[in-house]
Amino acid sequence: MRKNSVKNSRINNEVQRVLAEVIRGEMKDPRISPMTSVVSVEVAPDLKTCRAYISVLGNEEAQKDTLAGLRSAEGFIRGRLAKEINLRNTPTIQFVVDQSIAYGVDMSHKIDQVMADQRAKKGVEEEDE
């Protein structure tokens, strides 16, 4: 099976949907931040392993706590995944913190700051004329 096959894409989307539902609605661990989202999921073609990229809104400590909570609850999450999705193998889940959303927000703030500086500089030049 090719990595980007239609079947693999559907499996990735379904696993992502179920993981998001489980993390949002069924997890009782206080370490897991309520502002946790599943950004993307990559299931291996042999269905044995899965990488779940998660994003946590908050500081670095909240990210570490959420990651620890998710790793400790992997057995529960795999059980829910097995009940929801009928796959030959239920993949082992490796949680990875995805920094892309935070990076995007940071870059957006930097762009806004540069644009504001340019507008202020233009305003000073117009006043001098």
Side-chain angles (χ1 to χ4, degrees), residues 54-102:
I54 60 164
S55 175
V56 181
L57 186 64
N59 58 11
E60 196 170 317
E61 185 176 333
Q63 291 177 357
K64 287 180 183 177
D65 289 344
T66 299
L67 199 57
L70 288 173
R71 286 180 178 153
S72 70
E74 184 193 353
F76 170 76
I77 295 170
R78 281 186 71 200
R80 296 296 300 143
L81 197 62
K83 286 181 183 176
E84 294 286 327
I85 304 174
N86 186 17
L87 294 174
R88 187 178 329 123
N89 299 318
T90 303
T92 58
I93 305 167
Q94 177 186 6
F95 292 101
V96 180
V97 175
D98 185 22
Q99 301 289 345
S100 63
I101 294 174

Side-chain angles (χ1 to χ4, degrees), residues 25-70:
E26 300 180 23
M27 301 296 293
K28 304 284 191 239
D29 194 335
R31 294 177 291 181
I32 298 174
S33 171
M35 299 300 283
T36 301
S37 60
V38 180
V39 177
S40 67
V41 171
E42 293 176 2
V43 179
D46 64 355
L47 305 177
K48 301 227 179 195
T49 59
C50 167
R51 276 192 158 174
Y53 296 93
I54 60 164
S55 175
V56 181
L57 186 64
N59 58 11
E60 196 170 317
E61 185 176 333
Q63 291 177 357
K64 287 180 183 177
D65 289 344
T66 299
L67 199 57
L70 288 173

